[in-house]
Amino acid sequence: MSRTISGRTRRWRVAVTLGAAAALGLSGCGLNEGNSSSGDSSGGGDVLRIGTTTDVSNFNPLQSLSKTDSWILNAMYPHLLRIDANAKKAPELAKEYSYENGGKTAVFRLRDDFTWTDGKPVVAEDVKFSAESIMKYKLGNVAAKLTWVTSIEAPDPTTVKFHLSQPYAPFAEGVGFWMSIVPKHVFSSAGDLSKFANDSNWVGAGPFVLESATKGQRYVLKRNDKYPLAPGGKPAVGKVEFRLYPDVNTMMLALRNGDIDLMGTPVPASAAKTFANDSKIKLTKVGALGFAHLTYNMNNKDLAKQEVRQALSMAVDTKSIISSVLQGDAKEMSGPISPIFADYDNTEIQPYPFDPAGAKAKLAAAGYSDGNGDGLFDGLDLGVACDQSNANLTRVVQLFRESAAKAGIKLTNECVERNTFLSRTKDGEYDIDASQWGVFDNPMDQLRSTYLSSNPGGINYNLLKSPEMDQLINDAAATTDPAAFATKIKNIDKVVHEQAYLTPLYVENFQFAYNASKFTGFVASPSDLLGMVTAYSLAQVKPVG
């Protein structure tokens, strides 16, 4: 059952997840400054300058998680598949994929015109090596998507076969989209890839490759003159420079002043109107593949109680948040599956009502009391962590603190710089996580990544260890009949909702701003993580005039 990737019906989609940065003018520690890479050695062509608020935390594409990491590394290292402007899977390195052996073998057919910037061709052995390395060292979220792989073979330079222990319908699209392909001839000599920094002498096969990196200031990428997905075989832009800014407001000012040409992060909904009278700046709106949410750390003695999690869900005024923070440009969610997945969204689930009095009564019934009469339950003091560079979520946390106080719950704002936030989240050093998952494109992988206790490299930020949930997820994962699969997913939705493992907040639209007087041709993709800064989009951009 061979499948060309564009133009077919897709019922299966894949899941994932995802203070101030040093100001631009501060001195930084140069990594590989002046590194010479293949490509446009003259540095000719225009420079596209992109604003970001976070440094690169990891140059190893097999284990990277940070947003800026993804933007830069995805421009360097190809993936088998990409997501297009309509949220559909499209070819990148792979021309097509198919299943054999009753669904237990996934086969990718590769293009034969990708080359690494040191001149060597990109071949099936590179794909095989990348996947086997992720499995060996359990690197990043992709490790979870390779769970069923028993072996991988590359019978010829353009064919890769993944042999699975059981059929898993979303496998090819999940691995194809999320897995970075690295050069075997470079990475195989690096030893333990979980410790490989990859912070110099970069070799890539994307439209651009890193030329220099100066922490706290900028990351400069030089174009690859041999990139088959760009018009004419190479990008029209000579260099891409990511510049660091301490916050979104400073970045917006830089765009207005002409210091950058594109904001990598979305424009906050409350600020979008400020660009209305600027003839140079254009706004592009895209939808979301993820959603904003509150996740509760099950290792916290209070949050381990279902009643407390339900009370917190009743203490969030989501409608007011959507109205005031997002200017109404968002949709409220009920369960853990975004309504974008209509086949799997359990519409029988209703959001927890905003009911501070009811939340207070639930906590009192659970044994909490207000001994000193200050209006807050004694001992119920929880921190809410978030990425402070996300203007919307920092405002959400502020409003949540205010509404929770009406329910007798004391919340402390613990929003911090993004990489610190990601580190603390990964290590379980938080009570409540207020965040926004960037890309979910399959509900099964989403649920496995977020709730399966045995999931290697997943995003089980609840730190949940539930035999019941494990059984439900594993049973659904082995179900290839679409109708039965949808029923099982909806049942998991119901359990997550009743247990209140997370409080879904909203699915929003995003707006990206760029200087249309200087550049055109961007191909926007849904979500704040993809947006305008995908490898394919950067390869299509061209200077105006």
Side-chain angles (χ1 to χ4, degrees), residues 375-444:
L376 300 172
F377 288 108
D378 300 336
L380 192 57
D381 187 349
L382 302 167
V384 185
C386 83
D387 166 16
Q388 68 180 16
S389 70
N390 188 316
N392 288 342
L393 284 177
T394 54
R395 178 64 176 148
V396 166
V397 171
Q398 179 182 343
L399 294 176
F400 183 28
R401 289 179 61 208
E402 295 170 0
S403 62
K406 298 177 182 178
I409 305 170
K410 180 180 179 181
L411 300 179
T412 302
N413 186 328
E414 295 182 352
C415 295
V416 293
E417 182 270 334
R418 180 173 176 80
N419 286 336
T420 302
F421 165 72
L422 291 174
S423 176
R424 291 180 181 176
T425 302
K426 181 179 179 181
D427 295 338
E429 297 176 357
Y430 67 93
D431 298 327
I432 302 173
D433 172 324
S435 58
Q436 186 157 320
W437 280 314
V439 177
F440 286 143
D441 53 318
N442 172 269
M444 185 70 260

Side-chain angles (χ1 to χ4, degrees), residues 334-357:
S334 302
I337 300 298
S338 170
I340 196 172
F341 304 118
D343 291 342
Y344 311 107
D345 180 27
N346 190 336
T347 56
E348 296 180 0
I349 296 174
Q350 297 299 314
Y352 282 91
F354 175 56
D355 183 3

Side-chain angles (χ1 to χ4, degrees), residues 83-88 286-289 340 438-439 510 512 524-531:
I83 286 182
D84 66 16
N86 298 311
K88 304 298 184 182
V286 303
L289 293 176
I340 196 172
V439 177
F510 300 106
F512 293 90
S525 296
S527 89
D528 63 328
L529 176 64
L530 302 176

Side-chain angles (χ1 to χ4, degrees), residues 161-478:
K161 294 187 176 184
F162 291 82
H163 298 289
L164 313 178
S165 59
Q166 65 182 53
Y168 184 60
F171 174 83
E173 290 198 356
V175 171
F177 173 66
W178 287 106
M179 185 174 70
S180 295
I181 310 304
V182 299
K184 178 181 178 180
H185 63 281
V186 175
F187 278 60
S188 60
S189 61
D192 184 345
L193 291 184
S194 68
K195 300 176 181 177
F196 180 40
N198 191 38
D199 57 0
S200 64
N201 300 315
W202 295 284
V203 175
F208 296 90
V209 65
L210 263 171
E211 178 182 49
S212 65
T214 308
K215 188 176 178 62
Q217 295 186 34
R218 59 179 58 83
Y219 299 85
V220 181
L221 297 95
K222 183 186 299 184
R223 89 172 148 211
N224 175 8
D225 277 355
K226 296 181 179 180
Y227 185 67
L229 299 186
K234 72 175 181 180
V237 173
K239 291 187 177 182
V240 173
E241 178 182 332
F242 285 84
R243 293 188 174 188
L244 269 291
Y245 291 92
D247 51 56
V248 174
N249 289 332
T250 308
M251 194 195 310
M252 290 173 60
L253 180 61
L255 180 62
R256 288 195 190 91
N257 292 341
D259 295 327
I260 58 173
D261 309 302
L262 166 69
M263 290 178 57
T265 54
V267 179
S270 59
K273 293 180 181 178
T274 63
F275 288 118
N277 297 323
D278 193 325
S279 60
K280 303 187 305 296
I281 307 303
K282 182 176 180 179
L283 292 172
T284 296
K285 181 179 287 191
V286 303
L289 293 176
F291 58 90
H293 59 95
L294 302 170
T295 295
Y296 306 113
N297 189 335
M298 297 290 287
N299 286 342
N300 178 288
K301 63 180 179 63
D302 295 303
L303 295 174
K305 301 175 183 177
Q306 180 185 15
E307 299 91 342
V308 174
R309 300 192 301 272
Q310 290 176 333
L312 284 162
S313 297
M314 296 165 65
V316 185
D317 191 353
T318 305
K319 288 185 172 60
S320 292
I321 287 172
I322 291 174
S323 175
S324 61
V325 177
L326 300 163
Q327 308 299 300
D329 197 10
K331 182 176 181 179
E332 186 176 10
M333 285 185 59
S334 302
I337 300 298
S338 170
I340 196 172
F341 304 118
D343 291 342
Y344 311 107
D345 180 27
N346 190 336
T347 56
E348 296 180 0
I349 296 174
Q350 297 299 314
Y352 282 91
F354 175 56
D355 183 3
K360 184 175 287 190
K362 184 177 288 290
L363 291 171
Y368 290 90
S369 62
D370 176 15
N372 58 13
D374 64 354
L376 300 172
F377 288 108
D378 300 336
L380 192 57
D381 187 349
L382 302 167
V384 185
C386 83
D387 166 16
Q388 68 180 16
S389 70
N390 188 316
N392 288 342
L393 284 177
T394 54
R395 178 64 176 148
V396 166
V397 171
Q398 179 182 343
L399 294 176
F400 183 28
R401 289 179 61 208
E402 295 170 0
S403 62
K406 298 177 182 178
I409 305 170
K410 180 180 179 181
L411 300 179
T412 302
N413 186 328
E414 295 182 352
C415 295
V416 293
E417 182 270 334
R418 180 173 176 80
N419 286 336
T420 302
F421 165 72
L422 291 174
S423 176
R424 291 180 181 176
T425 302
K426 181 179 179 181
D427 295 338
E429 297 176 357
Y430 67 93
D431 298 327
I432 302 173
D433 172 324
S435 58
Q436 186 157 320
W437 280 314
V439 177
F440 286 143
D441 53 318
N442 172 269
M444 185 70 260
D445 275 357
Q446 173 193 333
L447 294 172
R448 290 187 72 249
S449 293
T450 51
Y451 299 113
L452 189 65
S453 59
S454 61
N455 187 4
I459 49 176
N460 181 358
Y461 294 154
N462 283 106
L463 305 180
L464 177 67
K465 296 181 180 179
S466 167
E468 176 196 12
M469 186 62 69
D470 288 351
Q471 182 177 354
L472 290 172
I473 291 172
N474 287 328
D475 177 53

